[in-house]
């Protein structure tokens, strides 16, 4: 939900049909600062900060639109309900009230993903508080300015996708008008009024859980350098022939297929101890600290999709090595190699690189060869001991050149028959 950037310097701008205006933005055309302008100046000041009546937690917040405004009053009421405050500030006034420069305010707003809104009075006390908090973290030396911008960007990108998903998929299915003549917006208001506090609490809970899990992984790193550049297994899973499917299937069918694939992949990755990095429609990217976990996830994905007649075939590529993590994403040669392995993998098969194969052999999850496994079993039997148990089998494939990465030797990963 955004406020359109129409270039106007007065009033507020209409949002697209069905959307509420977003109440944060940035501006590059701020008026010059008056030396005598103060946040506590009188009514004639451009920084008129006379307090509005602040409702208690049980009071409905209804926005009071300008009579000449083209915005839907119901949309403004929804905005006021969600934000918990009414529009009071232009971006310039918000920056001054927060005690930050317009340049820094613009960087924060854009990083959060909000459009420029000129000098529309579209911001609230919450926007001022958010600016004040970010700037305070910088002033206290807890974050550098660049890091604070990264915090704003990562939070904005993540929550923007979450909000879009909830509006498109969740609320859309719950706001069908129950009676003729009622609009979707009229149904949405009481629904959001009931759901908002519960969803807010749940969001904070999940974020804390994820933060605790991520912190635990980081503090277990061997050294400080490994906290940023870590050795991970990275896997790509790609639906085969997806481009052809897009030409044959209806849009709704295609959307259902993609959603089913992403949901299945996300559940399997989480259940077996991996981390879903991102989904790309016909492809998912995941990582794991342990090569055995990454291998199990890959084979489970292949097996699950093969048992679903509605799903196309799948191929997976995995590489193991140093990975740079930034803003929840992963980068580096290891990631590129995993992507290349996926593109050359056979249908319903998993290809891994040499480093990944070595890691499986080192941890005892796979034998270097079946001949070595047979020798180990014979030696154990001779000593009256249990033979080693391997979960996976590795088969070396032909070496081949890969664009940008030179010559590689992929290995075919499979489950090892317990009787082998």
């Amino acid at each position: 939900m955004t406020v359109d950037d129409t270039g106007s310097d007065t009033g507020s701008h209409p949002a697209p049909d069905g959307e509420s205006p977003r109440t944060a933005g940035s501006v590059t055309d701020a008026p010059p600062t008056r030396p005598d302008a103060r946040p506590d100046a009188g009514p004639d000041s451009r920084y008129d900060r006379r307090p509005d009546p602040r409702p208690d937690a049980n009071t409905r917040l209804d926005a009071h639109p300008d009579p000449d405004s083209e915005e839907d009053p119901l949309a403004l009421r929804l905005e006021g309900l969600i934000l918990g405050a009414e529009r009071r500030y232009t971006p310039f006034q918000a920056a001054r009230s927060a005690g930050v420069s317009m340049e820094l305010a613009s960087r924060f707003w854009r990083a959060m993903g909000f459009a420029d809104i000129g000098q529309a009075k579209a911001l609230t006390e919450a926007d001022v508080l958010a600016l004040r908090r970010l700037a305070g973290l910088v002033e206290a030396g807890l974050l550098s300015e660049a890091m604070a911008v990264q915090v704003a960007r990562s939070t904005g990108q993540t929550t923007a996708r979450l909000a879009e998903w909830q509006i498109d998929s969740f609320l859309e299915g719950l706001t069908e008008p129950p009676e003729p003549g009622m609009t979707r917006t009229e149904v949405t208001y009481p629904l959001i009024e009931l759901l908002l506090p519960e969803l807010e609490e749940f969001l904070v809970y999940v974020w804390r859980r994820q933060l605790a899990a991520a912190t635990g992984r980081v503090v277990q790193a061997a050294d400080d350098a490994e906290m940023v550049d870590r050795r991970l297994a990275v896997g790509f899973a790609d639906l085969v022939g997806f481009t052809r499917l897009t030409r044959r299937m209806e849009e709704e069918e295609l959307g259902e297929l993609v959603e089913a694939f992403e949901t299945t992949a996300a559940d399997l990755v989480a259940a077996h101890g991996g981390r879903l990095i991102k989904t790309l429609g016909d492809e998912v990217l995941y990582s794991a600290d342990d090569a055995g976990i990454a291998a199990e996830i890959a084979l489970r994905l292949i097996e699950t999709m093969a048992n679903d007649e509605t799903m196309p075939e799948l191929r997976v590529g995995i590489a193991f090595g140093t990975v740079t993590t930034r803003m929840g994403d992963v980068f580096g040669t290891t990631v590129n190699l995993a992507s290349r392995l996926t593109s050359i993998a056979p249908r319903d098969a998993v290809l891994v690189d040499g480093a990944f194969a070595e890691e499986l052999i080192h941890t005892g999850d796979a034998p270097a060869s079946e001949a070595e496994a047979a020798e180990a079993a014979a030696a154990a039997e001779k000593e009256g001991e249990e033979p080693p148990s391997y979960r996976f089998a590795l088969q070396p494939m032909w070496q081949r050149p890969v664009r940008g990465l030179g010559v590689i030797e992929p290995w075919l990963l499979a489950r090892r028959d317990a009787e082998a």
Side-chain angles (χ1 to χ4, degrees):
M1 306 179 193
T2 62
V3 178
D4 291 342
D5 182 12
T6 61
S8 172
D9 287 336
T10 59
S12 52
H13 311 297
D17 292 342
E19 293 189 45
S20 306
R22 179 182 288 163
T23 60
S26 60
V27 61
T28 55
D29 56 347
T33 305
R34 280 179 17 198
D36 60 340
R38 306 184 314 276
D40 58 348
D44 293 334
S45 169
R46 74 176 66 177
Y47 303 106
D48 182 9
R49 298 180 62 207
R50 289 170 295 178
D52 292 336
R54 296 185 64 84
D56 59 35
N58 298 318
T59 302
R60 174 178 296 181
L61 285 164
D62 292 344
H64 303 288
D66 188 318
D68 298 327
S69 173
E70 297 180 9
E71 294 189 70
D72 186 344
L74 283 174
L76 289 173
R77 289 180 61 218
L78 278 171
E79 177 190 283
L81 171 67
I82 294 170
L83 295 177
E86 297 179 4
R87 301 177 177 188
R88 294 186 59 190
Y89 302 100
T90 67
F92 186 66
Q93 290 171 333
R96 281 297 296 262
S97 295
V100 303
S101 68
M102 271 309 305
E103 180 183 0
L104 184 58
S106 295
R107 291 186 67 194
F108 284 153
W109 278 319
R110 286 175 180 153
M112 286 185 279
F114 300 134
D116 292 353
I117 57 171
Q119 281 305 306
K121 183 174 284 189
L123 305 185
T124 72
E125 289 286 357
D127 297 301
V128 173
L129 181 59
L131 285 176
R132 193 175 294 150
R133 280 175 170 161
L134 280 174
L137 291 173
V138 175
E139 291 173 4
L142 296 173
L143 296 177
S144 66
E145 187 173 306
M147 194 177 298
V149 171
Q150 282 191 359
V151 168
R153 179 170 291 111
S154 61
T155 306
Q157 289 178 357
T158 303
T159 53
R161 185 178 181 187
L162 174 64
E164 291 291 345
W165 183 89
Q166 289 176 333
I167 292 298
D168 292 344
S169 302
F170 183 48
L171 290 177
E172 182 179 352
L174 295 177
T175 55
E176 288 296 333
E179 298 178 9
M182 291 189 69
T183 66
R184 185 180 294 276
T185 304
E186 289 172 326
V187 179
T188 300
Y189 190 99
L191 181 66
I192 290 181
E193 195 170 29
L194 292 172
L195 286 175
L196 188 63
E198 302 300 326
L199 292 178
E200 183 177 18
E201 290 291 334
F202 185 70
L203 174 62
V204 173
Y205 155 74
V206 175
W207 171 71
R208 284 182 175 272
R209 267 289 178 188
Q210 294 286 6
L211 189 64
T215 303
R217 291 192 295 268
V218 169
V219 298
Q220 291 175 18
D223 51 47
D224 290 346
E226 194 178 336
M227 288 186 179
V228 178
D229 297 323
R230 305 164 59 194
R231 286 179 62 78
L232 299 175
V234 177
F236 278 94
D238 178 57
L239 292 175
V240 178
F242 185 76
T243 302
R244 290 193 301 274
L245 284 175
T246 60
R247 294 194 289 264
R248 295 203 316 263
M249 300 179 70
E250 297 290 336
E251 287 186 6
E252 185 173 348
E253 292 179 306
L254 193 64
E256 290 175 354
L257 183 145
V258 168
E259 184 175 356
F261 169 59
E262 291 184 350
T263 300
T264 301
D267 288 347
L268 285 172
V269 169
H272 291 88
R275 294 184 297 284
L276 187 69
I277 304 299
K278 58 186 173 185
T279 59
L280 306 170
D282 62 330
E283 189 173 56
V284 297
L285 169 62
Y286 71 92
S287 69
D289 297 319
D290 181 84
I293 290 175
E296 183 66 29
I297 291 171
L299 293 172
R300 291 271 183 173
L301 284 169
I302 294 289
E303 293 158 0
T304 302
M305 297 298 172
N307 291 327
D308 188 341
E309 295 181 355
T310 66
M311 282 290 174
E313 295 164 304
L314 190 71
R315 54 191 176 194
V316 182
I318 315 176
F320 187 86
T322 301
V323 174
T324 298
T325 59
R326 289 289 187 278
M327 294 177 62
D329 208 342
V330 290
F331 307 92
T333 302
T334 302
V335 181
N336 296 336
L337 179 54
S339 178
R340 297 287 190 272
L341 287 167
T342 307
S343 65
I344 63 175
R347 295 165 182 253
D348 284 340
V350 182
L351 277 189
V352 303
D353 73 327
F356 188 88
E358 289 178 7
E359 187 69 13
L360 284 182
I361 295 168
H362 175 71
T363 57
D365 285 310
S369 67
E370 286 304 321
E372 182 178 297
E375 290 178 5
E381 184 177 359
K382 185 177 180 179
E383 297 293 331
E385 300 174 352
E386 283 291 325
S389 176
Y390 302 107
R391 291 193 291 163
F392 310 111
L394 293 165
Q395 178 185 341
M397 307 293 284
W398 293 103
Q399 290 186 352
R400 64 188 71 190
V402 174
R403 178 169 53 88
L405 297 171
V407 177
I408 65 170
E409 181 182 2
W411 295 67
L412 187 66
L413 175 73
R415 289 202 185 280
R416 188 166 186 272
D417 189 340
E419 298 180 356

